[in-house]
Amino acid sequence: QMPQLWERIEEAHRGLSRVRLKMLKRWQKEGSIRKDIDPEVLNVVLEEIMVNIFRPEFLMAKDLTMKQAGSTIRAILLHGIVESSQSRD
């Protein structure tokens, strides 16, 4: 029973990954995502963020809500970590 459950969970993850990758490629084609960003790599980065940050143990240990963690991740992804006055080489 448990192996079947885990297989269903894994299949759901693979399905979500395929959908996310398709969206990333479409957004890149539309100009919302930079051309120099590999959508395959970005897809893995987003997956790892979700797996490692949105864990109850992490959120509780850091006293964060999902909204707070999501806001920080969004800021990093959309604006980077370097202050705008600093060189981005």
Side-chain angles (χ1 to χ4, degrees), residues 11-23 43:
E11 181 55 39
H13 280 281
R14 287 189 295 270
L16 288 171
S17 181
R18 285 189 298 270
V19 169
R20 188 175 47 248
L21 180 60
K22 192 177 203 180
M23 290 170 50
N43 193 33

Side-chain angles (χ1 to χ4, degrees), residues 25-58:
K25 287 179 177 182
R26 186 183 81 219
W27 292 336
Q28 189 176 51
K29 187 176 181 180
E30 293 171 352
S32 297
I33 295 176
R34 294 184 349 221
K35 296 290 183 202
D36 64 323
I37 302 294
D38 183 328
E40 299 271 355
V41 173
L42 180 56
N43 193 33
V44 172
V45 168
L46 294 173
E47 177 69 24
E48 291 300 316
I49 287 170
M50 289 186 281
V51 167
N52 291 297
I53 301 298
F54 292 115
R55 288 181 301 123
E57 305 85 33
F58 175 80

